Amino acid sequence: MTLNPKLSKLLNEQINNELSSSYIYLAMAAWFEQTPYSGFAQWMFTQSREENMHALKFYQYVVDRDAKVELQPVAKPKASFKSPLDVFEHSLRQEQEVTRQINVLFEVAEQVKDHAAKNLLLWFLNEQMEEEKTVREMLERLKLAGNDPASLLVLDREAGSRKGSGGSTTGGAGA
Ligand SMILES: [Fe+2]
Ligand SMILES: [Fe+2]
């Protein structure tokens, strides 16, 4: 089945959106590297790699569907933040935006009756649910910790022990 042109365009845009995400998380990792929070830096670095895998998963899908890959420039990410809480608030908004993008993609796949694409996008919708949940949970605990250095360091240590999410490492399509 030939890939619908509108769907193909949106899938190409999503390669860029995921790479932008990866870049945003890398900038967050770099910001944390300048603070005592090495655990949060590690978390953001891991997240950056996962977003890169997402981009490659979309890339591979476009290739597998025999459609043309068209890469675009990746925007410069925000580089300065006020606090760990501020970073995670940006992260949650970022994930919510990606969830919105994937929902749009799913709706278009549905309109053009591309069930194979819907299958890929369902995997991503699931992944988004997980990512939003993980970020939201950390955000809530950061709010509880407030400005207490001891509590923040406990959360930092926990963030540093985070492994890559199961969904992203076992999701197939070369991921
Ligand atoms: Fe992603
Ligand atoms: Fe994400």
Side-chain angles (χ1 to χ4, degrees):
M1 185 185 175
T2 317
L3 201 53
N4 168 276
K6 188 179 175 192
L7 191 54
S8 176
K9 185 172 176 284
L10 282 175
L11 286 168
N12 266 292
E13 277 175 26
Q14 201 58 30
I15 297 175
N16 190 268
N17 291 336
E18 300 289 342
L19 279 178
S20 296
S21 248
S22 175
Y23 224 34
I24 286 167
Y25 280 116
L26 194 60
M28 289 172 173
W31 183 81
F32 274 123
E33 291 290 0
Q34 302 287 305
T35 72
Y37 303 113
S38 57
F40 288 131
Q42 182 59 44
W43 162 302
M44 291 299 166
F45 188 81
T46 300
Q47 193 57 40
S48 174
R49 287 172 66 157
E50 291 207 356
E51 300 300 349
N52 192 57
M53 296 305 286
H54 292 168
L56 297 181
K57 199 170 163 108
F58 277 112
Y59 167 91
Q60 193 60 52
Y61 190 78
V62 173
V63 169
D64 288 348
R65 291 293 300 268
D66 201 23
K68 194 177 175 201
V69 169
E70 287 178 271
L71 301 177
Q72 301 294 332
V74 177
K76 181 176 175 167
K78 179 179 165 64
S80 71
F81 299 91
K82 289 195 269 296
S83 62
L85 182 68
D86 185 36
V87 179
F88 276 85
E89 277 171 345
H90 276 86
S91 168
L92 183 59
R93 281 201 291 277
Q94 167 66 20
E95 291 305 333
Q96 287 166 340
E97 171 59 14
V98 172
T99 300
R100 189 195 63 75
Q101 291 161 350
I102 309 252
N103 269 308
V104 169
L105 264 160
F106 188 86
E107 277 160 30
V108 173
E110 207 160 48
Q111 279 162 21
V112 302
K113 296 189 167 48
D114 191 326
H115 303 298
K118 275 163 67 179
N119 190 45
L120 171 85
L121 294 164
L122 273 182
W123 183 87
F124 273 103
L125 283 174
N126 239 6
E127 177 73 5
Q128 283 309 117
M129 211 176 69
E130 285 296 318
E131 289 196 352
E132 280 192 36
K133 178 171 174 262
T134 312
V135 174
R136 210 167 40 236
E137 280 172 0
M138 184 55 83
L139 196 53
E140 276 160 18
R141 289 150 88 192
L142 278 167
K143 279 181 192 160
L144 275 182
N147 290 322
D148 175 39
S151 304
L152 285 169
L153 286 174
V154 169
L155 291 180
D156 177 66
R157 195 181 318 136
E158 202 178 294
S161 66
R162 172 198 173 188
K163 304 273 185 299
S165 89
S168 294
T169 51
T170 58

